[in-house]
Amino acid sequence: MTALPRALPLLGHAPWFALKPLDFLTSLAGHGDLVRIRLGPLRAYVVCHPTLVHQLLLADRTFDKGGPFYDKLREIAGNGVGTCPASAHRRQRRLVQPAFHRDRMPGHTQVMAEEVAALTAPWQNGQTLHVPDAMHRLSTAVVVRCLFDPSTDTSGIPALQSSIDAIVDGITRRMTWPMPLLHRLPTPGNRRYQRARLHVRHLTNALISGLRSTGADHDNLMSLLMAPDADGVFLSDTEVHDQVVTFLLAGVQSIAITLSWAWYLIGTHPDIRTRLHDEVDAVLGGRPAQLTDLDSLDLTGRIVTETLRLYPPDSLLLTRTTATDTELGGHPLPAGTTLVFSPYQLHRRPDAYPAPDRFAPERWNAVDKPAPGTFVPFGAGPRKCIADTFVQTQATLALATVAARWQLRPIPGQPLRPVGQAVRAPHKLSMMLNQRSSTSDREVDV
Ligand code: HEM
Protein backbone atom coordinates (compact mmCIF):
# COMPACT_ATOMS: atom_id res chain seq x y z
CA MET A 1 0.00 0.00 0.00
CA THR A 2 1.60 3.31 -0.97
CA ALA A 3 0.74 6.87 -0.07
CA LEU A 4 0.72 9.25 -2.99
CA PRO A 5 3.32 12.00 -2.85
CA ARG A 6 2.57 15.71 -3.31
CA ALA A 7 -0.24 16.12 -0.81
CA LEU A 8 -0.44 19.88 -0.21
CA PRO A 9 -0.78 21.26 3.32
CA LEU A 10 -4.49 21.50 4.26
CA LEU A 11 -5.72 20.70 0.74
CA GLY A 12 -4.03 17.32 0.33
CA HIS A 13 -4.72 15.96 -3.18
CA ALA A 14 -7.96 17.93 -3.56
CA PRO A 15 -6.69 20.27 -6.32
CA TRP A 16 -5.66 17.34 -8.56
CA PHE A 17 -8.86 15.48 -7.81
CA ALA A 18 -11.05 18.52 -8.47
CA LEU A 19 -9.32 19.64 -11.67
CA LYS A 20 -8.77 16.31 -13.44
CA PRO A 21 -10.44 13.65 -11.31
CA LEU A 22 -10.26 10.80 -13.81
CA ASP A 23 -6.65 11.42 -14.80
CA PHE A 24 -5.79 11.65 -11.13
CA LEU A 25 -7.57 8.39 -10.26
CA THR A 26 -6.05 6.59 -13.27
CA SER A 27 -2.54 7.69 -12.32
CA LEU A 28 -2.93 6.03 -8.94
CA ALA A 29 -2.83 2.49 -10.36
CA GLY A 30 0.95 2.90 -10.69
CA HIS A 31 1.20 3.41 -6.93
CA GLY A 32 -0.37 0.13 -5.82
CA ASP A 33 -3.61 -1.79 -5.54
CA LEU A 34 -4.92 0.29 -2.66
CA VAL A 35 -3.66 3.87 -2.56
CA ARG A 36 -4.16 6.32 0.28
CA ILE A 37 -5.15 9.88 -0.65
CA ARG A 38 -6.20 12.97 1.26
CA LEU A 39 -8.85 15.42 0.06
CA GLY A 40 -8.80 18.36 2.45
CA PRO A 41 -9.70 16.86 5.83
CA LEU A 42 -10.93 13.59 4.29
CA ARG A 43 -8.70 10.53 4.08
CA ALA A 44 -9.66 7.81 1.64
CA TYR A 45 -8.25 4.75 -0.11
CA VAL A 46 -8.56 4.36 -3.86
CA VAL A 47 -9.03 0.70 -4.80
CA CYS A 48 -7.14 0.23 -8.07
CA HIS A 49 -7.10 -3.53 -8.57
CA PRO A 50 -10.08 -5.19 -10.34
CA THR A 51 -10.12 -8.22 -8.02
CA LEU A 52 -10.27 -6.01 -4.94
CA VAL A 53 -13.03 -3.87 -6.47
CA HIS A 54 -14.99 -7.03 -7.23
CA GLN A 55 -14.61 -8.23 -3.62
CA LEU A 56 -15.69 -4.85 -2.31
CA LEU A 57 -18.78 -4.78 -4.53
CA LEU A 58 -19.93 -8.25 -3.54
CA ALA A 59 -19.58 -7.71 0.22
CA ASP A 60 -22.16 -4.94 0.49
CA ARG A 61 -22.67 -5.27 4.25
CA THR A 62 -18.96 -4.86 5.03
CA PHE A 63 -18.29 -2.24 2.35
CA ASP A 64 -21.48 -0.28 2.73
CA LYS A 65 -22.85 2.92 1.24
CA GLY A 66 -22.14 5.76 3.63
CA GLY A 67 -19.39 8.11 4.71
CA PRO A 68 -18.70 11.70 3.73
CA PHE A 69 -19.37 11.33 -0.02
CA TYR A 70 -22.75 9.74 0.58
CA ASP A 71 -23.59 12.43 3.12
CA LYS A 72 -23.48 14.87 0.18
CA LEU A 73 -25.63 12.65 -2.02
CA ARG A 74 -28.14 12.12 0.76
CA GLU A 75 -28.64 15.88 1.04
CA ILE A 76 -30.61 15.53 -2.17
CA ALA A 77 -31.48 11.83 -2.68
CA GLY A 78 -32.18 11.06 0.99
CA ASN A 79 -32.40 7.33 1.62
CA GLY A 80 -33.43 6.17 -1.83
CA VAL A 81 -32.48 2.76 -3.17
CA GLY A 82 -29.11 4.03 -4.45
CA THR A 83 -28.03 5.80 -1.27
CA CYS A 84 -29.55 3.76 1.59
CA PRO A 85 -27.35 1.49 3.72
CA ALA A 86 -27.32 -2.29 3.11
CA SER A 87 -29.66 -2.84 6.08
CA ALA A 88 -32.47 -1.01 4.25
CA HIS A 89 -31.50 -1.98 0.72
CA ARG A 90 -33.10 -5.40 0.12
CA ARG A 91 -36.60 -4.12 0.91
CA GLN A 92 -36.23 -1.06 -1.32
CA ARG A 93 -34.71 -2.95 -4.20
CA ARG A 94 -37.51 -5.56 -4.10
CA LEU A 95 -40.03 -2.75 -4.28
CA VAL A 96 -38.63 -0.99 -7.36
CA GLN A 97 -37.05 -3.89 -9.29
CA PRO A 98 -40.28 -4.88 -11.16
CA ALA A 99 -40.20 -1.54 -13.03
CA PHE A 100 -37.23 -2.97 -14.98
CA HIS A 101 -38.56 -6.47 -15.45
CA ARG A 102 -38.22 -8.01 -18.90
CA ASP A 103 -41.99 -7.79 -19.49
CA ARG A 104 -41.86 -3.96 -19.22
CA MET A 105 -39.28 -3.68 -22.01
CA PRO A 106 -41.71 -3.62 -24.96
CA GLY A 107 -43.50 -0.62 -23.40
CA HIS A 108 -40.20 1.14 -22.70
CA THR A 109 -39.06 0.46 -26.26
CA GLN A 110 -42.27 1.94 -27.65
CA VAL A 111 -41.63 5.14 -25.65
CA MET A 112 -38.05 5.26 -26.91
CA ALA A 113 -39.23 4.92 -30.52
CA GLU A 114 -41.80 7.73 -30.05
CA GLU A 115 -39.21 10.00 -28.45
CA VAL A 116 -36.60 9.35 -31.17
CA ALA A 117 -39.29 10.20 -33.74
CA ALA A 118 -40.15 13.44 -31.88
CA LEU A 119 -36.47 14.36 -31.57
CA THR A 120 -35.59 13.77 -35.21
CA ALA A 121 -38.81 15.13 -36.79
CA PRO A 122 -37.54 18.74 -37.07
CA TRP A 123 -34.01 17.74 -38.17
CA GLN A 124 -32.92 19.17 -41.51
CA ASN A 125 -30.35 17.84 -43.90
CA GLY A 126 -27.06 19.70 -43.40
CA GLN A 127 -28.09 21.10 -40.02
CA THR A 128 -25.60 21.34 -37.17
CA LEU A 129 -26.70 19.39 -34.12
CA HIS A 130 -25.46 19.95 -30.58
CA VAL A 131 -25.32 16.26 -29.80
CA PRO A 132 -25.28 16.29 -25.95
CA ASP A 133 -28.30 18.62 -25.83
CA ALA A 134 -30.24 16.38 -28.19
CA MET A 135 -29.31 13.18 -26.33
CA HIS A 136 -30.09 14.78 -22.98
CA ARG A 137 -33.52 15.80 -24.17
CA LEU A 138 -34.13 12.28 -25.45
CA SER A 139 -33.02 10.52 -22.26
CA THR A 140 -34.94 12.89 -19.97
CA ALA A 141 -38.15 12.32 -21.90
CA VAL A 142 -37.61 8.54 -21.99
CA VAL A 143 -36.82 8.19 -18.28
CA VAL A 144 -39.67 10.47 -17.20
CA ARG A 145 -42.23 8.82 -19.46
CA CYS A 146 -41.13 5.20 -18.83
CA LEU A 147 -40.79 5.46 -15.08
CA PHE A 148 -43.10 8.21 -13.89
CA ASP A 149 -45.84 9.30 -16.20
CA PRO A 150 -46.28 8.16 -19.82
CA SER A 151 -48.53 11.16 -20.52
CA THR A 152 -45.99 13.73 -19.26
CA ASP A 153 -46.19 17.05 -21.06
CA THR A 154 -42.68 17.11 -22.49
CA SER A 155 -42.63 20.92 -22.72
CA GLY A 156 -41.29 20.96 -19.13
CA ILE A 157 -38.39 18.67 -20.06
CA PRO A 158 -35.75 21.37 -20.84
CA ALA A 159 -36.29 23.02 -17.42
CA LEU A 160 -36.06 19.67 -15.65
CA GLN A 161 -32.98 18.84 -17.69
CA SER A 162 -31.16 22.01 -16.63
CA SER A 163 -32.13 21.49 -12.97
CA ILE A 164 -30.74 17.95 -13.04
CA ASP A 165 -27.53 19.32 -14.61
CA ALA A 166 -27.20 21.93 -11.87
CA ILE A 167 -27.80 19.36 -9.13
CA VAL A 168 -25.28 16.89 -10.55
CA ASP A 169 -22.72 19.73 -10.92
CA GLY A 170 -23.38 20.85 -7.35
CA ILE A 171 -23.07 17.35 -5.92
CA THR A 172 -19.90 16.67 -7.92
CA ARG A 173 -18.35 19.90 -6.60
CA ARG A 174 -19.33 18.99 -3.05
CA MET A 175 -17.79 15.53 -3.42
CA THR A 176 -14.57 16.60 -5.12
CA TRP A 177 -14.04 19.62 -2.84
CA PRO A 178 -15.17 18.21 0.53
CA MET A 179 -14.92 21.58 2.32
CA PRO A 180 -18.38 22.48 3.62
CA LEU A 181 -17.72 26.20 4.08
CA LEU A 182 -17.07 26.68 0.36
CA HIS A 183 -20.52 25.33 -0.42
CA ARG A 184 -22.37 27.69 1.88
CA LEU A 185 -21.05 30.81 0.17
CA PRO A 186 -23.65 32.64 -1.99
CA THR A 187 -21.74 31.96 -5.23
CA PRO A 188 -23.66 31.69 -8.53
CA GLY A 189 -22.95 27.92 -8.62
CA ASN A 190 -24.25 27.37 -5.07
CA ARG A 191 -27.34 29.49 -5.75
CA ARG A 192 -28.04 27.55 -8.96
CA TYR A 193 -27.72 24.29 -7.03
CA GLN A 194 -30.21 25.42 -4.35
CA ARG A 195 -32.68 26.72 -6.97
CA ALA A 196 -32.47 23.44 -8.88
CA ARG A 197 -33.10 21.41 -5.70
CA LEU A 198 -36.23 23.48 -5.01
CA HIS A 199 -37.42 23.08 -8.59
CA VAL A 200 -37.06 19.28 -8.53
CA ARG A 201 -38.68 19.10 -5.07
CA HIS A 202 -41.61 21.15 -6.33
CA LEU A 203 -42.06 18.95 -9.44
CA THR A 204 -41.80 15.76 -7.42
CA ASN A 205 -44.30 16.94 -4.80
CA ALA A 206 -46.75 17.92 -7.56
CA LEU A 207 -46.35 14.49 -9.18
CA ILE A 208 -46.90 12.68 -5.86
CA SER A 209 -49.94 14.71 -4.78
CA GLY A 210 -51.46 14.37 -8.26
CA LEU A 211 -51.08 10.61 -8.16
CA ARG A 212 -52.28 10.36 -4.54
CA SER A 213 -55.52 12.09 -5.55
CA THR A 214 -56.15 10.39 -8.91
CA GLY A 215 -54.57 7.00 -8.21
CA ALA A 216 -51.48 5.71 -10.04
CA ASP A 217 -52.33 3.11 -12.58
CA HIS A 218 -49.57 3.28 -15.15
CA ASP A 219 -47.97 -0.07 -14.34
CA ASN A 220 -44.61 1.64 -13.88
CA LEU A 221 -42.13 2.70 -11.19
CA MET A 222 -44.47 5.37 -9.84
CA SER A 223 -47.30 2.85 -9.40
CA LEU A 224 -44.94 0.59 -7.45
CA LEU A 225 -43.92 3.46 -5.20
CA MET A 226 -47.53 4.39 -4.47
CA ALA A 227 -48.63 0.81 -3.72
CA PRO A 228 -48.24 -0.93 -0.34
CA ASP A 229 -45.09 -3.04 0.08
CA ALA A 230 -45.07 -6.80 0.89
CA ASP A 231 -45.99 -5.99 4.53
CA GLY A 232 -48.92 -3.78 3.47
CA VAL A 233 -47.06 -0.58 4.42
CA PHE A 234 -47.25 2.51 2.18
CA LEU A 235 -44.18 4.70 1.59
CA SER A 236 -44.37 8.19 3.04
CA ASP A 237 -44.22 11.20 0.70
CA THR A 238 -40.59 11.74 1.74
CA GLU A 239 -39.69 8.16 0.86
CA VAL A 240 -41.40 8.44 -2.54
CA HIS A 241 -39.66 11.76 -3.12
CA ASP A 242 -36.25 10.22 -2.34
CA GLN A 243 -36.85 7.44 -4.84
CA VAL A 244 -38.02 9.80 -7.58
CA VAL A 245 -34.96 12.02 -7.15
CA THR A 246 -32.68 8.95 -7.06
CA PHE A 247 -34.00 7.73 -10.39
CA LEU A 248 -33.87 11.16 -12.00
CA LEU A 249 -30.28 11.70 -10.91
CA ALA A 250 -29.14 8.17 -11.71
CA GLY A 251 -30.94 7.80 -15.00
CA VAL A 252 -31.24 10.97 -17.01
CA GLN A 253 -27.68 12.15 -17.53
CA SER A 254 -26.03 8.74 -17.72
CA ILE A 255 -27.86 7.56 -20.85
CA ALA A 256 -27.34 10.95 -22.50
CA ILE A 257 -23.62 10.84 -21.74
CA THR A 258 -23.30 7.33 -23.18
CA LEU A 259 -25.17 8.21 -26.38
CA SER A 260 -23.17 11.43 -26.83
CA TRP A 261 -19.82 9.64 -26.49
CA ALA A 262 -21.10 6.90 -28.83
CA TRP A 263 -21.85 9.50 -31.54
CA TYR A 264 -18.45 11.07 -30.95
CA LEU A 265 -16.72 7.70 -31.37
CA ILE A 266 -18.78 6.77 -34.42
CA GLY A 267 -18.07 10.20 -35.91
CA THR A 268 -14.33 9.83 -35.46
CA HIS A 269 -14.18 6.27 -36.85
CA PRO A 270 -15.54 6.35 -40.43
CA ASP A 271 -14.90 2.62 -40.96
CA ILE A 272 -17.10 1.73 -38.01
CA ARG A 273 -19.70 4.29 -39.09
CA THR A 274 -19.94 2.57 -42.48
CA ARG A 275 -20.32 -0.84 -40.85
CA LEU A 276 -22.98 0.53 -38.50
CA HIS A 277 -25.01 1.84 -41.44
CA ASP A 278 -24.58 -1.49 -43.25
CA GLU A 279 -25.92 -3.30 -40.21
CA VAL A 280 -28.95 -1.08 -39.64
CA ASP A 281 -29.79 -1.13 -43.35
CA ALA A 282 -29.72 -4.91 -43.39
CA VAL A 283 -31.74 -5.29 -40.19
CA LEU A 284 -34.13 -2.33 -40.26
CA GLY A 285 -34.35 -1.19 -43.86
CA GLY A 286 -35.10 2.36 -42.71
CA ARG A 287 -37.76 1.58 -40.07
CA PRO A 288 -37.41 2.26 -36.30
CA ALA A 289 -35.73 -0.52 -34.29
CA GLN A 290 -37.90 -2.79 -32.16
CA LEU A 291 -37.07 -5.02 -29.26
CA THR A 292 -37.08 -8.09 -31.50
CA ASP A 293 -34.23 -6.54 -33.57
CA LEU A 294 -31.88 -6.43 -30.63
CA ASP A 295 -30.11 -9.75 -31.26
CA SER A 296 -29.47 -8.82 -34.90
CA LEU A 297 -28.01 -5.40 -34.03
CA ASP A 298 -24.76 -7.01 -33.07
CA LEU A 299 -22.28 -4.27 -33.97
CA THR A 300 -24.58 -1.54 -32.61
CA GLY A 301 -24.71 -3.35 -29.26
CA ARG A 302 -20.93 -3.72 -29.20
CA ILE A 303 -20.53 -0.01 -29.93
CA VAL A 304 -22.62 0.71 -26.82
CA THR A 305 -20.56 -1.73 -24.73
CA GLU A 306 -17.26 -0.30 -25.96
CA THR A 307 -18.51 3.25 -25.31
CA LEU A 308 -19.40 2.25 -21.75
CA ARG A 309 -15.88 0.85 -21.36
CA LEU A 310 -14.12 3.97 -22.61
CA TYR A 311 -16.44 6.57 -21.12
CA PRO A 312 -18.33 5.06 -18.17
CA PRO A 313 -20.57 7.89 -16.93
CA ASP A 314 -20.62 7.06 -13.22
CA SER A 315 -16.88 7.01 -12.78
CA LEU A 316 -16.48 9.49 -10.03
CA LEU A 317 -19.07 8.96 -7.41
CA LEU A 318 -18.43 5.34 -6.54
CA THR A 319 -17.46 5.06 -2.92
CA ARG A 320 -17.99 2.81 0.07
CA THR A 321 -17.35 2.97 3.78
CA THR A 322 -16.27 0.01 5.94
CA ALA A 323 -19.07 -0.93 8.33
CA THR A 324 -16.72 -2.90 10.64
CA ASP A 325 -13.00 -3.44 11.09
CA THR A 326 -12.04 -5.50 8.07
CA GLU A 327 -9.36 -6.04 5.45
CA LEU A 328 -9.01 -5.83 1.70
CA GLY A 329 -6.19 -7.53 -0.20
CA GLY A 330 -4.52 -8.26 3.14
CA HIS A 331 -4.56 -4.60 4.23
CA PRO A 332 -6.33 -3.94 7.54
CA LEU A 333 -9.04 -1.26 7.34
CA PRO A 334 -10.70 0.08 10.47
CA ALA A 335 -14.48 0.67 10.56
CA GLY A 336 -15.41 3.99 8.96
CA THR A 337 -12.66 3.92 6.29
CA THR A 338 -13.67 5.60 3.03
CA LEU A 339 -12.93 3.66 -0.16
CA VAL A 340 -13.20 5.00 -3.71
CA PHE A 341 -13.01 3.21 -7.04
CA SER A 342 -13.29 4.31 -10.63
CA PRO A 343 -14.61 2.21 -13.54
CA TYR A 344 -12.73 4.58 -15.87
CA GLN A 345 -9.41 3.59 -14.32
CA LEU A 346 -10.30 -0.12 -14.28
CA HIS A 347 -11.50 -0.07 -17.89
CA ARG A 348 -8.24 1.39 -19.17
CA ARG A 349 -5.86 -1.09 -17.62
CA PRO A 350 -3.55 -2.48 -20.33
CA ASP A 351 -3.46 -5.85 -18.55
CA ALA A 352 -7.24 -6.17 -19.07
CA TYR A 353 -7.57 -4.46 -22.48
CA PRO A 354 -4.74 -4.40 -25.06
CA ALA A 355 -4.41 -0.85 -26.46
CA PRO A 356 -6.93 0.29 -23.84
CA ASP A 357 -7.46 3.80 -25.25
CA ARG A 358 -8.44 2.49 -28.68
CA PHE A 359 -12.13 2.39 -29.65
CA ALA A 360 -12.50 -1.20 -30.84
CA PRO A 361 -16.05 -2.61 -30.67
CA GLU A 362 -14.68 -5.83 -32.17
CA ARG A 363 -12.73 -6.52 -28.98
CA TRP A 364 -16.05 -7.75 -27.56
CA ASN A 365 -16.46 -10.39 -30.31
CA ALA A 366 -14.26 -12.86 -28.51
CA VAL A 367 -15.20 -11.88 -24.96
CA ASP A 368 -17.68 -14.12 -23.29
CA LYS A 369 -17.50 -12.58 -19.86
CA PRO A 370 -14.90 -10.00 -18.83
CA ALA A 371 -12.72 -10.91 -15.82
CA PRO A 372 -14.26 -9.83 -12.48
CA GLY A 373 -13.80 -6.11 -11.81
CA THR A 374 -12.49 -5.26 -15.30
CA PHE A 375 -15.82 -4.12 -16.78
CA VAL A 376 -17.97 -2.41 -14.20
CA PRO A 377 -19.81 0.52 -15.84
CA PHE A 378 -22.89 -0.60 -13.90
CA GLY A 379 -21.04 -1.73 -10.76
CA ALA A 380 -21.61 -5.32 -9.60
CA GLY A 381 -23.14 -7.34 -6.78
CA PRO A 382 -26.26 -6.39 -4.83
CA ARG A 383 -25.91 -2.66 -5.64
CA LYS A 384 -25.43 -3.17 -9.37
CA CYS A 385 -27.33 -0.65 -11.49
CA ILE A 386 -30.97 -1.61 -11.55
CA ALA A 387 -31.27 -0.38 -15.13
CA ASP A 388 -28.31 -2.08 -16.85
CA THR A 389 -30.48 -4.04 -19.30
CA PHE A 390 -32.77 -1.05 -19.83
CA VAL A 391 -29.73 1.11 -20.71
CA GLN A 392 -28.04 -1.38 -23.02
CA THR A 393 -31.35 -2.05 -24.79
CA GLN A 394 -32.53 1.53 -25.13
CA ALA A 395 -29.13 2.90 -26.13
CA THR A 396 -28.72 0.21 -28.82
CA LEU A 397 -32.21 0.77 -30.23
CA ALA A 398 -31.83 4.56 -30.17
CA LEU A 399 -28.48 4.49 -32.01
CA ALA A 400 -29.86 2.06 -34.60
CA THR A 401 -33.09 4.01 -35.16
CA VAL A 402 -31.23 7.29 -35.68
CA ALA A 403 -28.54 5.66 -37.85
CA ALA A 404 -31.21 4.11 -40.09
CA ARG A 405 -32.24 7.57 -41.31
CA TRP A 406 -29.38 9.90 -40.43
CA GLN A 407 -25.65 10.07 -40.53
CA LEU A 408 -23.91 12.20 -37.88
CA ARG A 409 -20.61 13.46 -39.24
CA PRO A 410 -17.90 15.84 -38.13
CA ILE A 411 -18.49 19.37 -39.46
CA PRO A 412 -16.06 19.94 -42.36
CA GLY A 413 -12.99 21.84 -41.16
CA GLN A 414 -13.83 21.24 -37.50
CA PRO A 415 -12.20 18.05 -36.27
CA LEU A 416 -14.03 16.51 -33.33
CA ARG A 417 -12.11 16.85 -30.13
CA PRO A 418 -13.25 15.20 -26.93
CA VAL A 419 -13.85 18.00 -24.47
CA GLY A 420 -14.86 16.93 -21.02
CA GLN A 421 -14.36 13.84 -18.96
CA ALA A 422 -16.10 10.50 -19.03
CA VAL A 423 -18.46 11.44 -16.23
CA ARG A 424 -19.84 14.23 -18.41
CA ALA A 425 -20.94 14.40 -21.99
CA PRO A 426 -18.39 15.89 -24.41
CA HIS A 427 -19.91 19.34 -24.01
CA LYS A 428 -18.72 20.99 -27.21
CA LEU A 429 -19.80 18.18 -29.49
CA SER A 430 -21.56 19.60 -32.54
CA MET A 431 -21.98 17.40 -35.60
CA MET A 432 -23.51 17.74 -39.03
CA LEU A 433 -26.68 15.85 -39.91
CA ASN A 434 -26.87 14.07 -43.24
CA GLN A 435 -30.22 12.59 -44.12
CA ARG A 436 -29.82 9.14 -45.60
CA SER A 437 -31.72 8.89 -48.87
CA SER A 438 -32.65 5.22 -48.74
CA THR A 439 -31.45 2.07 -47.14
CA SER A 440 -28.30 2.30 -49.23
CA ASP A 441 -25.25 4.01 -47.82
CA ARG A 442 -25.84 7.13 -49.97
CA GLU A 443 -26.56 10.37 -48.22
CA VAL A 444 -28.59 13.28 -49.54
CA ASP A 445 -26.13 15.90 -50.77
CA VAL A 446 -26.12 19.05 -48.69
C1 HEM B 1 -25.35 4.57 -19.00
C2 HEM B 1 -26.25 4.52 -18.07
C3 HEM B 1 -26.00 4.12 -16.64
C4 HEM B 1 -24.84 3.79 -16.00
C5 HEM B 1 -23.44 3.70 -16.58
C6 HEM B 1 -25.18 3.50 -14.62
C7 HEM B 1 -24.26 3.13 -13.66
C8 HEM B 1 -24.59 2.78 -12.37
C9 HEM B 1 -23.67 2.30 -11.38
C10 HEM B 1 -22.16 2.17 -11.58
C11 HEM B 1 -24.35 1.99 -10.27
C12 HEM B 1 -23.79 1.38 -8.99
C13 HEM B 1 -23.33 2.44 -8.05
C14 HEM B 1 -22.56 1.85 -6.87
O1 HEM B 1 -22.27 0.66 -6.83
O2 HEM B 1 -22.22 2.65 -5.98
C15 HEM B 1 -25.73 2.32 -10.53
C16 HEM B 1 -26.74 2.18 -9.62
C17 HEM B 1 -28.03 2.55 -9.86
N1 HEM B 1 -28.55 3.00 -11.05
FE1 HEM B 1 -27.58 3.22 -12.77
N2 HEM B 1 -26.51 3.67 -14.46
C18 HEM B 1 -27.06 4.05 -15.66
C19 HEM B 1 -28.37 4.31 -15.91
C20 HEM B 1 -29.38 4.23 -15.01
C21 HEM B 1 -30.77 4.48 -15.30
C22 HEM B 1 -31.33 4.83 -16.67
C23 HEM B 1 -31.44 4.35 -14.13
C24 HEM B 1 -32.90 4.49 -13.86
C25 HEM B 1 -33.68 5.32 -14.49
C26 HEM B 1 -30.48 3.98 -13.11
C27 HEM B 1 -30.78 3.75 -11.80
C28 HEM B 1 -29.88 3.28 -10.86
C29 HEM B 1 -30.24 2.98 -9.49
C30 HEM B 1 -31.62 3.13 -8.85
C31 HEM B 1 -29.08 2.52 -8.86
C32 HEM B 1 -28.94 2.07 -7.41
C33 HEM B 1 -29.06 0.55 -7.36
C34 HEM B 1 -28.98 -0.02 -5.96
O3 HEM B 1 -28.19 0.48 -5.12
O4 HEM B 1 -29.69 -1.01 -5.73
N3 HEM B 1 -29.24 3.92 -13.68
N4 HEM B 1 -25.85 2.78 -11.82
Side-chain angles (χ1 to χ4, degrees):
M1 196 173 350
T2 52
L4 193 75
R6 292 206 300 145
L8 301 179
L10 292 176
L11 297 174
H13 302 101
W16 290 279
F17 190 47
L19 291 174
K20 292 210 159 185
L22 296 175
D23 292 349
F24 174 68
L25 290 173
T26 306
S27 74
L28 298 183
H31 293 270
D33 294 344
L34 202 58
V35 183
R36 195 170 52 221
I37 61 168
R38 187 163 64 75
L39 304 171
L42 169 70
R43 281 162 212 282
Y45 287 96
V46 180
V47 189
C48 297
H49 197 278
T51 310
L52 299 188
V53 169
H54 188 66
Q55 281 173 24
L56 167 146
L57 288 173
L58 293 197
D60 67 323
R61 288 188 185 269
T62 306
F63 301 101
D64 203 351
K65 296 224 173 172
F69 289 109
Y70 271 95
D71 291 345
K72 305 291 166 213
L73 266 180
R74 284 179 182 147
E75 279 177 19
I76 175 85
N79 257 325
V81 64
T83 40
C84 67
S87 55
H89 179 248
R90 302 290 190 272
R91 170 179 171 261
Q92 295 207 27
R93 180 91 182 205
R94 255 200 312 274
L95 182 72
V96 293
Q97 186 79 56
F100 295 91
H101 192 267
R102 186 190 302 260
D103 63 11
R104 309 279 161 109
M105 276 313 158
H108 295 330
T109 305
Q110 176 60 31
V111 170
M112 173 60 90
E114 287 166 17
E115 290 304 326
V116 171
L119 178 78
T120 54
W123 285 4
Q124 302 281 330
N125 194 36
Q127 176 195 329
T128 297
L129 182 76
H130 188 272
V131 177
D133 270 359
M135 296 304 116
H136 206 159
R137 191 183 163 80
L138 176 67
S139 66
T140 311
V142 169
V143 168
V144 169
R145 286 191 58 210
C146 286
L147 299 184
F148 303 122
D149 184 356
S151 57
T152 302
D153 169 11
T154 45
S155 62
I157 294 287
L160 175 61
Q161 204 176 300
S162 74
S163 287
I164 292 174
D165 270 354
I167 290 173
V168 174
D169 273 353
I171 293 174
T172 309
R173 266 200 311 279
R174 280 157 178 74
M175 291 172 87
T176 47
W177 284 98
M179 294 159 201
L181 265 181
L182 281 184
H183 308 301
R184 291 198 203 112
L185 298 174
T187 59
N190 287 340
R191 286 208 298 267
R192 203 165 46 244
Y193 173 69
Q194 297 303 350
R195 270 200 309 275
R197 286 181 57 174
L198 278 178
H199 178 225
V200 169
R201 176 166 287 280
H202 172 75
L203 286 182
T204 310
N205 288 345
L207 181 65
I208 296 168
S209 57
L211 289 174
R212 289 242 192 264
S213 60
T214 59
D217 192 18
H218 295 312
D219 193 26
N220 61 9
L221 176 73
M222 216 53 211
S223 320
L224 297 169
L225 297 176
M226 308 301 274
D229 68 10
D231 303 321
V233 180
F234 284 89
L235 297 188
S236 68
D237 279 5
T238 305
E239 287 171 312
V240 178
H241 172 271
D242 289 352
Q243 301 295 4
V244 172
V245 170
T246 296
F247 279 88
L248 284 176
L249 293 184
V252 163
Q253 274 203 344
S254 47
I255 301 189
I257 293 169
T258 301
L259 287 171
S260 301
W261 282 111
W263 287 121
Y264 162 76
L265 290 165
I266 295 164
T268 46
H269 294 79
D271 52 327
I272 290 173
R273 190 173 63 206
T274 304
R275 282 168 46 214
L276 169 69
H277 287 301
D278 287 348
E279 177 170 280
V280 296
D281 290 349
V283 177
L284 304 179
R287 65 170 169 80
Q290 298 164 5
L291 199 53
T292 45
D293 299 315
L294 203 58
D295 286 345
S296 312
L297 293 168
D298 191 51
L299 173 66
T300 320
R302 288 178 204 279
I303 289 175
V304 173
T305 306
E306 180 70 345
T307 304
L308 285 165
R309 181 186 72 82
L310 280 172
Y311 297 105
D314 276 345
S315 276
L316 205 50
L317 314 180
L318 300 179
T319 79
R320 294 293 190 270
T321 190
T322 50
T324 54
D325 292 351
T326 184
E327 62 83 31
L328 191 62
H331 303 296
L333 299 170
T337 304
T338 299
L339 297 151
V340 179
F341 69 96
S342 162
Y344 183 89
Q345 177 262 318
L346 296 161
H347 293 179
R348 293 195 183 227
R349 288 179 66 101
D351 53 355
Y353 299 99
D357 295 336
R358 200 164 69 84
F359 175 56
E362 68 279 4
R363 73 170 81 236
W364 296 98
N365 294 355
V367 176
D368 195 20
K369 214 172 174 205
T374 57
F375 185 67
V376 283
F378 298 110
R383 310 301 294 249
K384 186 175 185 190
C385 181
I386 201 167
D388 55 343
T389 309
F390 175 87
V391 170
Q392 182 79 34
T393 305
Q394 302 309 331
T396 304
L397 298 182
L399 278 186
T401 301
V402 173
R405 303 286 305 280
W406 296 91
Q407 195 179 61
L408 274 68
R409 293 174 137 187
I411 299 168
Q414 294 183 27
L416 293 180
R417 291 204 184 87
V419 180
Q421 298 238 351
V423 282
R424 309 296 314 269
H427 57 271
K428 286 191 180 150
L429 182 66
S430 291
M431 295 176 82
M432 196 172 76
L433 290 170
N434 272 104
Q435 188 162 20
R436 308 190 63 229
S437 58
S438 70
T439 59
S440 78
D441 208 26
R442 284 176 294 122
E443 280 79 44
V444 175
D445 286 335
V446 183

